[in-house]
């Protein structure tokens, strides 16, 4: 993509486009079609445009404020912000890198014979916005319209003025249809100005796009009455470049910057009715001719003088420089169909873009927060596992159950050792009076110093403790135990 002012000179005029030669005549030449189909002016008056075909875009049969710059009976230019897009892409966010058109909108183009004469209604088979179009700033605000097939009798050619330095003056035109029928043309409003007056005043201060791309835009404060609301003034629709005795369409209305009122709390649906300071911008078509030629697959009709210094943009991917931020504080930007305006999005200056460093800082902060949460989770998990005497070695993929094994071994040893009461009985057995049925065998074992348990506390034979019903020991309870414990016997 080429951004900005890349201009490549031609070896010879007309090398890559169909070029019409300038037609002689001057101020005294008669009005009418000149050589190569160019229109000649007669007295430096915009009324000469009465013989120049103009066109207006209709959407679903409804008149719009969007004029079409005709090249011939097959193709023309229109402002890209006059088209309808899918809601998800109309705010400047493209789907898959490209704007998606609303397929339910039906486009037609009304073509005038001149100022008021009816020529034809052309169907539209395809509309293609420029790939570099930026809806947020209206940079590269142009689209190519392809018309449905017409008969040879309807053939015509209009030329695009292709070299701005030679325009001595500009004609501004606003074409409209009768609002009741949408079938006949009303007398258009016109105005003229010197070509060098289209870039002065406060134009650059009001619009960031114009400030960066003065070679691609014309600026004017001229307004004309709105046919749907006579109390409101709107910009003109198209601009013609005047070269000597010749004229050719040069630019289309793109957008306007309106000074915001101090009490404006939200964008207005009818901003042009407030009488605020307004700067209107028109996109110059000459830098987008080669883009159109690439889509058309053939040459486009353009007009310029055969001067040695002539040059043109050859890159079909030419783009304006897109400003950042896209808007200027204190101004609201509007564009598209002025008869059906929608309030614009919130001004961009209220939306601050984050720098790369700020984004990196936010990402690192989020990662640190995630690490903290993960550590807290693991800590709580380990505490829970520790209470069950099971610890997870996360890096080695196994469980450490040494504490659990020790506990199990201790429980097993305790279950096999003689009860404490039995150990007490054995300890006091030599001093106790043996019952007639319980101590016969035990006394012999004690007299013989028989070892009941082994060194590891594991008896070599099972012992069974039985409670008896014999009378208690004559000495009473042993070791200060309360009550009268029962007597015990040992079974081998």
């Amino acid at each position: 993509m080429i951004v900005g002012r890349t201009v490549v000179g031609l070896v010879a005029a007309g090398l890559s486009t169909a070029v019409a030669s300038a037609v002689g005549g001057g101020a005294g030449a008669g009005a009418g079609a000149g050589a190569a189909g160019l229109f000649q002016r007669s007295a430096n008056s915009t009324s000469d445009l009465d013989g120049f075909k103009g066109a207006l875009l209709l959407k679903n049969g409804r008149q719009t404020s969007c004029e079409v710059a005709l090249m011939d009976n097959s193709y023309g230019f229109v402002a890209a912000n006059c088209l309808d897009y899918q809601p998800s892409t109309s705010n400047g966010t493209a789907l898959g890198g490209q704007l998606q058109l609303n397929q339910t909108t039906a486009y037609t183009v009304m073509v005038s014979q001149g100022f008021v004469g009816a020529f034809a209604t052309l169907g539209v088979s395809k509309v293609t916005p420029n790939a570099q179009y930026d809806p947020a700033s209206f940079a590269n605000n142009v689209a190519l319209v392809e018309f449905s097939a017409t008969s040879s009798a309807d053939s015509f050619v209009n030329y695009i003025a292709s070299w701005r330095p030679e325009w001595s003056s500009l004609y501004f035109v606003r074409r409209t249809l009768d609002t009741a029928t949408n079938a006949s043309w009303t007398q258009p409003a016109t105005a003229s100005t010197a070509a060098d007056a289209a870039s002065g005043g406060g134009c650059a201060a009001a619009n960031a796009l114009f400030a960066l791309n003065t070679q691609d835009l014309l600026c004017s404060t001229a307004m004309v009455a709105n046919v749907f609301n006579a109390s409101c003034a709107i910009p003109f629709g198209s601009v013609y470049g005047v070269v000597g005795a010749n004229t050719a369409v040069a630019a289309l209305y793109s957008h306007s910057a309106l000074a915001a009122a101090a009490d404006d709390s939200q964008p207005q649906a009818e901003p042009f009715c407030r009488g605020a300071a307004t700067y209107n911008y028109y996109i110059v078509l000459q830098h987008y001719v080669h883009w159109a030629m690439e889509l058309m697959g053939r040459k486009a009709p353009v007009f310029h003088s055969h001067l040695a210094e002539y040059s043109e943009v050859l890159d079909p991917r030419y783009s304006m420089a897109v400003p950042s931020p896209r808007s200027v504080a204190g101004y609201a930007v509007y564009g598209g169909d002025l008869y059906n305006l929608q309030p614009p999005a919130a001004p961009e200056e209220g939306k601050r873009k984050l720098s790369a460093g700020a984004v990196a800082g936010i990402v690192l902060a989020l990662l640190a927060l995630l690490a903290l949460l993960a550590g807290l989770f693991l800590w709580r998990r380990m505490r829970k596992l520790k209470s069950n005497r099971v610890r997870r070695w996360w890096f080695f993929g196994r469980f450490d159950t040494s504490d659990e094994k020790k506990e199990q071994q201790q429980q097993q040893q305790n279950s096999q050792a003689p009860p404490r009461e039995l150990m007490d009985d054995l300890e006091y057995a030599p001093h106790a009076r043996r019952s007639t049925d319980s101590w016969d065998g035990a006394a012999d074992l004690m007299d013989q110093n028989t070892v009941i348990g082994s060194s590891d506390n594991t008896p070599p034979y099972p012992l069974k403790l039985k409670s008896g019903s014999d009378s208690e020991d004559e000495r009473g309870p042993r070791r200060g135990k309360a009550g009268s414990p029962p007597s015990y016997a040992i079974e081998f």
Side-chain angles (χ1 to χ4, degrees), residues 215-237:
Q215 79 287 353
D216 291 303
L217 295 166
L218 303 174
C219 177
S220 173
T221 57
M223 307 285 281
V224 63
N226 185 336
V227 295
F228 289 98
N229 187 346
S231 63
C232 297
I234 60 175
F236 289 89

Side-chain angles (χ1 to χ4, degrees), residues 178-197:
D178 182 86
T179 57
T181 63
N182 272 357
S184 61
W185 294 93
T186 61
Q187 184 69 27
T190 60
S192 63
T193 184
D196 58 3

Side-chain angles (χ1 to χ4, degrees), residues 72-96:
D72 51 36
N73 56 297
S74 297
Y75 293 95
F77 289 108
V78 71
N81 59 6
C82 286
L83 306 177
D84 291 342
Y85 300 91
Q86 297 288 355
S88 58
T89 65
S90 61
N91 63 355
T93 303
L95 294 176

Side-chain angles (χ1 to χ4, degrees), residues 14-190:
L15 178 65
S16 56
T17 56
V19 181
S21 300
V23 180
L38 283 172
F39 185 78
Q40 294 178 263
R41 60 191 181 87
S42 59
N44 195 25
S45 169
T46 56
S47 62
D48 295 337
L49 293 174
D50 186 39
F52 202 102
K53 287 183 175 60
L56 200 62
L57 182 70
L58 279 67
K59 293 194 290 188
N60 297 324
R62 175 178 50 81
Q63 177 180 184
T64 72
S65 66
C66 305
E67 295 198 22
V68 177
L70 299 169
M71 287 185 281
D72 51 36
N73 56 297
S74 297
Y75 293 95
F77 289 108
V78 71
N81 59 6
C82 286
L83 306 177
D84 291 342
Y85 300 91
Q86 297 288 355
S88 58
T89 65
S90 61
N91 63 355
T93 303
L95 294 176
Q98 189 172 5
L99 292 171
Q100 304 296 312
L101 290 169
N102 188 340
Q103 300 300 322
T104 63
T105 302
Y107 299 99
T108 53
V109 173
M110 291 286 291
V111 181
S112 70
Q113 179 63 42
F115 267 174
V116 294
F119 176 79
T121 300
L122 301 178
V124 175
S125 60
K126 187 177 182 181
V127 287
T128 307
N130 188 281
Q132 315 300 333
Y133 170 53
D134 177 35
S137 65
F138 297 135
N140 309 300
N141 184 18
V142 65
L144 184 68
V145 183
E146 182 176 353
F147 307 128
S148 303
T150 57
S151 66
S152 57
D154 296 331
S155 298
F156 64 88
V157 175
N158 272 6
Y159 286 86
I160 304 298
S162 64
W163 198 34
R164 183 174 175 177
E166 66 180 351
W167 305 341
S168 59
S169 58
L170 302 172
Y171 289 163
F172 291 83
V173 180
R174 165 58 66 189
R175 289 185 172 86
T176 56
L177 293 169
D178 182 86
T179 57
T181 63
N182 272 357
S184 61
W185 294 93
T186 61
Q187 184 69 27
T190 60

